Amino acid sequence: MAGGTKRQKEMRKALRSMAPRMPMADAEAILEAALAGHLRHLPPSIALWQATTSRIRHAHTDYDALLDEGYDRDAARFFVLDHMNQMLEDWGSAKRLDPSEGQEF
């Protein structure tokens, strides 16, 4: 995870700052997603946050299983919110998801 473009270097640094205890496998997947074409137009901090929450939701919660069971997107997200925030805490992130603030998670 060294070298790369200026944006890649900035994003690696920002990710380490945002979640310093994040496992390397998750960090690599998050960086890859944050650098994807559909997020390239966003500032690094926003692209990383979206990629991080997506990674946690799909790789570390029952979100996809809930969808498979017939829950709608909003209900599934509601049921995994606490687990997602626990993961963020475990990874050393000071930021949390709060749907009452209108955050997309």
Side-chain angles (χ1 to χ4, degrees), residues 61-73 75-77 79-80:
T61 72
D62 293 330
Y63 177 77
D64 293 314
L66 291 168
L67 293 177
D68 291 343
E69 291 175 16
Y71 288 89
D72 68 30
R73 181 178 154 243
R77 287 180 178 213
F79 287 118
V80 301

Side-chain angles (χ1 to χ4, degrees), residues 9 22 26-27 32 35 38 45 49 59 68 76 78 81 98:
K9 290 175 185 177
M22 178 184 296
D26 290 302
E32 183 178 333
L35 291 166
H38 69 286
S45 62
W49 181 248
D68 291 343
F78 171 80
L81 177 65
D98 184 354

Side-chain angles (χ1 to χ4, degrees), residues 2-3 7 11 14 24 28 34 36 54 59 75 77 95 102:
R7 181 174 172 87
M11 292 182 91
M24 183 65 76
E28 290 172 352
S54 180
R77 287 180 178 213
K95 191 170 181 180

